[in-house]
Amino acid sequence: STGVDIVIKSEYGDALGAALASLSAAKHSAKHLYIGYSGGLDSHALLHLICTHLGTDKVTALHINHQLSPNAEDWQQHWQRV
C-alpha cells in the first residue's frame, strides 16, 4: 500500500473506483502492462497512478501521434521526455 487514500467524488467515481480495485488486485499477478498515452493531462495522471501502484518496471507507455490535434507534436515531445 502507498499509504494514500484516494477519494473520488464524480459521476465516474464508481467506475474509477472499480478500476483502481482491479489494478490493486493485478499488482502481484501482472507481468507487464502497456498503457496508451496521449501526452495530455488526463493520460499523464492515469500513467502516474498506474506506475505508482504497479511500479515503473511493469509499465510501458505507448504513444501514437495521429496528428489529430494542434497539440499533437507537443504531446509527442512530452511523451518522449516522460
Side-chain angles (χ1 to χ4, degrees):
S1 173
T2 62
V4 176
D5 293 326
I6 299 172
V7 178
I8 301 163
K9 294 182 180 182
S10 75
E11 62 187 275
Y12 303 106
D14 291 340
L16 189 52
L20 287 173
S22 294
L23 181 61
S24 292
K27 182 176 183 175
H28 300 290
S29 63
K31 293 183 181 182
H32 203 86
L33 186 62
Y34 295 88
I35 303 292
Y37 181 75
S38 71
L41 181 59
D42 56 343
S43 181
H44 190 80
L46 179 61
L47 179 64
H48 176 75
L49 179 67
I50 291 172
C51 286
T52 299
H53 281 282
L54 293 183
T56 57
D57 59 323
K58 289 188 173 186
V59 179
T60 298
L62 303 172
H63 176 79
I64 298 173
N65 184 347
H66 294 288
Q67 300 179 352
L68 297 176
S69 166
N71 300 317
E73 295 299 321
D74 293 335
W75 291 343
Q76 180 174 337
Q77 290 174 8
H78 175 71
W79 168 78
Q80 290 170 327
R81 288 189 304 270
V82 171

